[in-house]
Amino acid sequence: MADEREINALLHLLDDPDQEVFDTVADRLVHLGKEIIPSLESIWENTLNEAIQERIEWLIHRVHLQDLLAKMKEWAAQPDDLLKGALLVDKYQYPELGEEQVFKSIEKLKRNIWLELNNYLTPVEQINVMNGMLYSYFGIKGIEITDKQYRQKNYFFLHQLIESRKGSPIIIGILYQYLCEKLDIPVRAVQIPQQYVLAYFEMEDAPWLYARNASLQSRIQFFIDPGQGQIYSHKDIETYLKRIDAVETERYYQPLSNKQIIQKLIRELTKCYPQNEYPNRRYELYHLAALLDD
C-alpha cells in the first residue's frame, strides 16, 4: 500500500482535465487494490461533480475487476469446487456479494435431499427425489432463455437463483450437479449442442470417465433437463440431434469439466451485454472466460 501522502496526492488529481494525467493516476490507484475503495467511495459521497463521480465509479469497477481476475485465475488452477466458480461469476456484477447465506441455503437444501435418499433407490428414483426437492419443495423454476430473457442478467447468477427461485437452465444445472456431487449421485453436464443437459452415468464409472475403454454414450443411463427436471432417454437425444441436423459424435457425451462449465456460464452472461451498448463489459467477460481455456 502506498503511503498516505501519495494516496492523497493521487486522489486530488481525480478531477484533472488532462486525460493523460488522469490515466496515469487511474493506473496507480487501481494498482493499489481494494484497499483504496473506501477512499474513493468517500470522495464520491462528498462531491456533486457528476464527471468525477463517473470517474470514481469506473475506477472502483476496475479495482473489483482486477481482484476478480486474480481470484478466477487462482480458482482455475484448482477448479474442484463448482459452486465457488459460479459465485465468482456472480461477483462480476455483484462484487460485494456475501457468500455465507448462499452456502447456508444450499447446505440446507442438500441436507433435505439427503434425508430422502437411501441405498435402495434406483437411479430414476434418486433423480425423482432430487427433482421433488428442487422444483416442488424449494420452488426452482427454469426460465426458457430467448433474446428477451438475455436482457435479464440475474437469470445467470447463482445467488439470484437462490433468492428468486428463477434461473436459466445453465445456472440451475450448476446447482443440480453440485448437489449431486455432494450426495454421490453420478450426474454430470455433457456437451449436447445448443442445450445444457445433464447425464446420469453408471455409478462405478462416475464422475471421472476419461480413462475407460467403453464408449461414453453406453455409460449414460439417461439425461436430465435441469430447467424442469424432465428425464430424457437416449432415443430422445438422438431424435433431437437429428432435428437440429447434428451428426452424432462421442464428443457430445463427454462430461464437461468444472472449468468448461464456468466458461460456458460466462459466455452465456456475455450475451446479456449487447455489443452496441456494453462493448467494454463484453471485452471484460471475454477476458474472464479466457482464463479458463485449457
Side-chain angles (χ1 to χ4, degrees):
M1 188 72 175
D3 63 50
E4 190 173 342
R5 284 183 299 176
E6 180 190 358
I7 292 173
N8 288 334
L10 290 168
L11 294 174
H12 277 97
L13 290 170
L14 285 175
D15 60 351
D16 196 295
D18 188 319
Q19 186 64 39
E20 188 173 344
V21 171
F22 173 72
D23 290 343
T24 301
V25 169
D27 288 342
R28 179 57 182 153
L29 288 171
V30 170
H31 179 72
L32 294 176
K34 293 180 72 174
E35 294 177 358
I36 197 63
I37 289 178
S39 298
L40 292 171
E41 290 176 335
S42 178
I43 295 174
W44 190 96
E45 291 170 357
N46 290 285
T47 182
L48 298 177
N49 189 316
E50 292 185 4
I52 294 178
Q53 288 181 332
E54 288 180 4
R55 281 184 166 186
I56 290 172
E57 290 168 3
W58 177 75
L59 279 169
I60 291 174
H61 174 69
R62 277 190 61 188
V63 172
H64 281 307
L65 180 63
Q66 176 180 264
D67 183 65
L68 176 59
L69 291 169
K71 287 180 177 176
M72 185 63 81
K73 189 174 182 179
E74 181 181 341
W75 179 83
Q78 195 171 359
D80 300 328
D81 193 324
L82 183 59
L83 205 65
K84 286 186 177 179
L87 285 171
L88 283 176
V89 177
D90 285 28
K91 289 191 173 184
Y92 177 75
Q93 185 73 27
Y94 299 92
E96 302 293 348
L97 173 68
E99 301 174 356
E100 184 177 355
Q101 189 56 49
V102 178
F103 282 117
K104 282 184 178 179
S105 297
I106 294 176
E107 183 62 28
K108 180 180 179 181
L109 180 57
K110 185 192 79 174
R111 179 169 176 77
N112 287 335
I113 297 170
W114 176 77
L115 289 171
E116 298 295 323
L117 294 172
N118 64 65
N119 294 331
Y120 302 102
L121 296 179
T122 66
V124 170
E125 288 170 339
Q126 287 180 329
I127 296 306
N128 285 339
V129 169
M130 282 286 302
N131 290 348
M133 294 303 298
L134 270 177
Y135 305 103
S136 298
Y137 172 77
F138 197 62
I140 291 288
K141 180 181 179 181
I143 303 297
E144 183 180 356
I145 300 300
T146 63
D147 288 342
K148 182 178 180 180
Q149 271 69 49
Y150 273 117
R151 305 295 289 187
Q152 303 294 324
K153 304 176 185 65
N154 285 344
Y155 290 153
F156 297 89
F157 296 127
L158 181 62
H159 80 283
Q160 288 290 335
L161 171 64
I162 299 303
E163 290 180 12
S164 71
R165 307 295 201 268
K166 295 180 182 179
S168 60
I170 186 169
I171 199 62
I172 298 174
I174 287 171
L175 174 62
Y176 201 116
Q177 178 171 323
Y178 174 83
L179 290 168
C180 284
E181 178 186 339
K182 297 303 178 183
L183 294 165
D184 295 321
I185 299 174
V187 167
R188 298 285 298 278
V190 289
Q191 304 189 51
I192 303 299
Q194 302 177 30
Q195 299 291 330
Y196 195 81
V197 176
L198 304 174
Y200 190 109
F201 287 89
E202 292 179 3
M203 181 68 78
E204 63 181 3
D205 290 326
W208 295 282
L209 311 166
Y210 306 101
R212 305 290 180 165
N213 292 323
S215 71
L216 290 169
Q217 185 179 7
S218 68
R219 297 194 202 108
I220 296 174
Q221 298 198 25
F222 52 82
F223 302 86
I224 307 157
D225 170 11
Q228 54 188 341
Q230 185 172 345
I231 293 175
Y232 294 119
S233 66
H234 281 273
K235 184 65 176 177
D236 292 328
I237 296 300
E238 290 168 7
T239 300
Y240 165 73
L241 292 174
K242 288 178 181 177
R243 180 161 56 84
I244 65 170
D245 294 324
V247 178
E248 190 167 358
T249 171
E250 182 80 346
R251 179 174 60 85
Y252 293 158
Y253 306 103
Q254 182 79 30
L256 290 163
S257 70
N258 286 352
K259 285 170 65 174
Q260 288 174 317
I261 290 171
I262 298 304
Q263 187 176 66
K264 191 177 183 68
L265 174 63
I266 295 170
R267 287 172 175 165
E268 285 291 288
L269 180 60
T270 302
K271 299 175 186 178
C272 298
Y273 297 91
Q275 177 67 35
N276 60 332
E277 296 179 42
Y278 304 99
N280 292 334
R281 292 277 180 163
R282 290 177 71 91
Y283 172 78
E284 291 167 355
L285 287 166
Y286 286 142
H287 187 186
L288 192 64
L291 295 177
L292 303 177
D293 286 341
D294 289 321

